[in-house]
Amino acid sequence: MSLVTTEEGAAVKSICILGAGYVGGPTGAVLADRCPGVNVHVADVDAGRIGQWSQGPLPIHEPGLEVIVSRCRGRNLFFTTDLGTAIDGAEIVFICVPTPTKAHGKGAGMAADVSAIEQACREIKAHARGYKIVVEKSTVPCGTAASIAGLLQGDGAGAFDVLSNPEFMAEGTAIADLSEPDRVLIGAHPSGTSAAAQERLVGVYAQWIPRERILRMSSWSAELGKLAANAMLAQRISSMNALSGICEAVGADVEEVALAVGRDRRIGGAFLRAGPGFGGSCFQKDLLSLVYLARTLHLDAVAEYWAQVLQINAWQQGRLVDTVVARLHGTVAGKRVAVLGVAFKPGTGDTRESPAIGVVAGLLREGAVVRVHDPVVPAKGIQRALGGAVEVCADAYAACEGADGVVLCTGWEEFRALDYARIHGRMRRPANLFDACLLLDRAPLERLGFSVFGIGKGRGK
Ligand code: UGA
């Protein structure tokens, strides 16, 4: 069994992960799997969640995760509610706690809420005896590494170096993203005081990631690099969604435009899919955090620039609602509209910031009777996301019963395989299908008698 050796010759044998959620769980599992010489303790205050990680079923759905957890659990991967022992027993402590958008006080609705980070630091300070490398993995506002260092300073029994090592995993592909990342950022104090700690963490990742993909930089660059990557991905989507409006108006096809643009190797084809807008817990939160940073730095033009990416996202959902209303003869009041898909993207049961939320809210405001179905999100989760005014249906056919319109809000593969003749048979005439995800082939649906609207598909005018 090879231990991790570093330029300083020290071997890392123990890692503690604080937070057993979407980030901490998969990160701990892959670290344990790829570094058999390292004991990984994943610690969380939530005993229920730790119980699920320890005994199953796992609290999050992530392809490939279960196999890794069962291979490593009890060998060098442990789940615990005993934060103190896990912290003190580790050489490296990863902070993987949530940083949602602040709900109250200064910066509410924009700044990231870092109270869980502060709490984690207080736990680390209380329990650490001796030297620890503290790694911020959660997505945080720029400057957080410095504020973590400040929190850890003082009269405790520990000594600390703080590194920024932002996560780049997307839901549904977390294991692949962790196993074969495009890059790993390891940010250290700009003056170089934590350079040795940086090398130790490089040594951990180098066990399975080619060294040229492990990038050393300052903490500020790593923190801003993470926000910038998400902001630029979101910007590409908003760019295509903005163009989708033009396509519909002039008779162009947004998928053809995406092809034309994406085939330029300098641009590339990823994240150019127009749709109902981006969702999830990351893009909006990180854009808001970037806009807030720019505003606090009095860089108003910069703040406005990134805020536009969010505005286009909201506009796209509003535009979809307007299209449904227009195509249903100017009003949806009292009419049944089925919404298929509530998850923010296919492959996840997560509904956070899902485009369906904005679309359903708009339809309800217009007086529609909204029935929804999602193949993965449970009824309770749907109602938590959309409120009690919607009727949750066990299958797509029930949702479409008597409907004037069907709106596809998540591009689930399952929706391709639906029996559209059966759906058409249950709907009121004319039967309108709004494909916001560009999932379906239009011609066979039109042959069945549907009036089909595809986002950014000018041909349907
Ligand atoms: C995103 C980033 O992709 C990850 O690299 C990052 O680590 C993560 O945020 C994070 O900060 O934690 P995630 O939000 O899980 O990951 O999901 P994505 O696959 O990026 O999708 C985000 C949204 O964009 C979804 O609603 C998706 O449907 C939408 N999207 C994506 C489009 O509308 N068009 C596209 O072409 C691609």
Side-chain angles (χ1 to χ4, degrees):
M1 188 185 289
S2 74
L3 294 183
V4 186
T5 51
T6 68
E7 282 171 28
E8 286 71 39
V12 173
K13 296 189 206 97
S14 53
I15 288 176
C16 162
I17 307 262
L18 291 182
Y22 280 105
V23 175
T27 303
V30 171
L31 274 170
D33 197 39
R34 299 294 185 141
C35 307
V38 180
N39 280 328
V40 179
H41 286 85
V42 182
D44 199 298
V45 286
D46 184 336
R49 181 177 291 182
I50 288 299
Q52 285 180 288
W53 282 108
S54 305
Q55 282 124 37
L58 299 186
I60 61 170
H61 167 79
E62 207 46 74
L65 178 62
E66 193 137 19
V67 178
I68 295 180
V69 171
S70 23
R71 188 154 66 216
C72 302
R73 195 168 41 201
R75 181 190 79 184
N76 66 333
L77 176 64
F78 309 94
F79 297 94
T80 178
T81 52
D82 184 355
L83 272 58
T85 307
I87 290 167
D88 196 36
E91 291 149 89
I92 303 183
V93 181
F94 282 79
I95 301 179
C96 298
V97 296
T99 51
T101 302
K102 229 176 146 179
H104 310 285
K106 196 166 184 304
M110 296 213 81
D113 178 350
V114 289
S115 51
I117 299 261
E118 181 181 338
Q119 188 51 36
C121 290
R122 293 190 189 283
E123 292 284 349
I124 294 169
K125 190 169 177 183
H127 297 287
R129 288 167 299 169
Y131 175 70
K132 310 281 171 211
I133 298 171
V134 175
V135 179
E136 59 171 26
K137 186 152 261 313
S138 314
T139 304
V140 290
C142 297
T144 303
S147 86
I148 291 177
L151 272 164
L152 294 173
Q153 256 175 16
D155 49 359
F160 307 96
D161 272 313
V162 181
L163 300 175
S164 167
N165 171 221
E167 56 91 9
F168 285 105
M169 50 195 197
E171 283 181 37
T173 55
I175 300 304
D177 295 340
L178 284 162
S179 304
E180 280 188 62
D182 289 345
R183 74 323 204 172
V184 172
L185 308 187
I186 304 187
H189 194 279
S191 71
T193 55
S194 49
Q198 196 175 28
E199 292 315 311
R200 294 193 80 193
L201 191 55
V202 168
V204 172
Y205 282 111
Q207 287 203 87
W208 80 96
I209 295 163
R211 280 188 179 261
E212 64 276 11
R213 291 199 208 160
I214 305 174
L215 310 180
R216 297 165 181 82
M217 55 184 68
S218 78
S219 293
W220 260 91
S221 301
E223 289 170 341
L224 188 55
K226 167 61 200 262
L227 292 189
N230 273 358
M232 292 190 76
L233 289 168
Q235 183 195 49
R236 288 169 71 92
I237 301 167
S238 275
S239 296
M240 292 316 295
N241 285 340
L243 288 164
S244 74
I246 297 183
C247 287
E248 287 160 32
V250 302
D253 178 334
V254 76
E255 289 184 296
E256 290 174 355
V257 174
L259 194 65
V261 169
R263 281 294 173 93
D264 185 326
R265 273 178 297 165
R266 294 167 302 175
I267 299 170
F271 275 68
L272 293 181
R273 239 183 320 107
F278 54 79
S281 62
C282 308
F283 283 177
Q284 175 170 312
K285 175 179 77 105
D286 293 350
L287 273 161
L288 285 168
S289 183
L290 192 58
V291 172
Y292 187 70
L293 173 69
R295 278 197 195 146
T296 54
L297 296 170
H298 306 295
L299 300 170
D300 293 343
V302 180
E304 281 308 302
Y305 175 73
W306 289 109
Q308 275 299 324
V309 175
L310 283 168
Q311 275 182 32
I312 291 288
N313 204 46
W315 169 81
Q316 185 77 336
Q317 283 143 40
R319 203 167 77 77
L320 182 56
V321 173
D322 291 348
T323 302
V324 174
V325 172
R327 291 211 163 205
L328 297 190
H329 319 290
T331 180
V332 290
K335 294 178 183 167
R336 285 186 181 180
V337 179
V339 171
L340 301 185
V342 184
F344 84 87
K345 65 174 182 179
T348 176
D350 193 346
T351 60
R352 284 176 292 176
E353 310 300 341
S354 174
I357 298 172
V359 172
V360 166
L363 291 170
L364 289 173
R365 264 197 309 274
E366 293 290 329
V369 178
V370 181
R371 297 168 128 196
V372 292
H373 166 70
D374 188 282
V376 167
V377 185
K380 256 203 209 141
I382 293 180
Q383 246 140 11
R384 214 177 305 125
L386 303 180
V390 297
E391 190 183 327
V392 182
C393 299
D395 62 38
Y397 305 104
C400 297
E401 187 76 58
D404 288 85
V406 175
V407 187
L408 231 87
C409 264
T410 313
W412 285 108
E413 274 304 312
E414 285 92 328
F415 294 157
R416 275 192 223 274
L418 290 171
D419 179 348
Y420 283 94
R422 187 172 160 200
I423 287 179
H424 188 259
R426 293 177 168 218
M427 289 177 66
R428 258 192 357 157
R429 302 289 183 268
N432 282 280
L433 189 58
F434 301 90
D435 182 2
C437 304
L438 301 179
L439 185 75
L440 306 173
D441 271 350
R442 168 188 221 112
L445 292 165
E446 283 176 344
R447 280 197 294 277
L448 286 172
F450 279 106
S451 167
V452 183
F453 167 82
I455 222 151
K457 294 284 187 183
R459 281 174 299 157
K461 269 168 67 79

